[in-house]
Amino acid sequence: QKEVEQDPGPLSVPEGAIVSLNCTYSNSAFQYFMWYRQYSRKGPELLMYTYSSGNKEDGRFTAQVDKSSKYISLFIRDSQPSDSATYLCATPSNTGKLIFGQGTTLQVKP
Amino acid sequence: KAGVTQTPRYLIKTRGQQVTLSCSPISGHRSVSWYQQTPGQGLQFLFEYFSETQRNKGNFPGRFSGRQFSNSRSEMNVSTLELGDSALYLCASRPPGQSTGELFFGEGSRLTVL
């Protein structure tokens, strides 16, 4: 079992839709979580960073962590074609390396 | 401020050859990590260097090695290439004092092994 699981998709939605991207993790010791966005032929870029359970909002993006169920989510409101990318969840291990989910490919159609 | 720079961007090698990839971190960043990205396995940690010392190593065979120079630039080397080494190799640097999760990635070096 992978330490961080993520449905690779692809996920296709119409412009303006609310998008929900999800990951599960296996180790309850994981303390904080990140979402990275990766455009085609580019490296990942940090999108959001959450330390604890609950929600964190940044513009159209909301990151949610539920530690009781080991579930993390990223919601995108009013999705735009420019949001089309691969979204990766990640968490640091106790040895300091980042553990990534497989990544979910999102396409927002105009 | 320039981002993380990786060279070469694309390269093609044959089985049995070796390859060296280079990474220049963002100015002032002393921590450099390397990741391998493939469609099947996703992003997997290779190693991390800080001040010329390897601090962490992932679960890759000894054919994968790296080093960091005094100016924080880093190189990784893969010897005796195998078809399965075809991947996007990503380098990332981290600002001083920032947590492990806050990485700045380069655009990667895409290696194809024939």
Side-chain angles (χ1 to χ4, degrees), chain B residues 36-50:
Chain B
Q36 181 196 65
Q37 187 174 31
T38 59
Q41 297 297 318
L43 270 155
Q44 292 188 286
F45 174 78
L46 280 157
F47 23 66
E48 179 190 8
Y49 287 87
F50 182 83

Side-chain angles (χ1 to χ4, degrees), chain A residues 10-22:
Chain A
L11 181 62
S12 182
V13 302
E15 182 176 354
I18 296 174
V19 176
S20 172
L21 304 166
N22 308 294

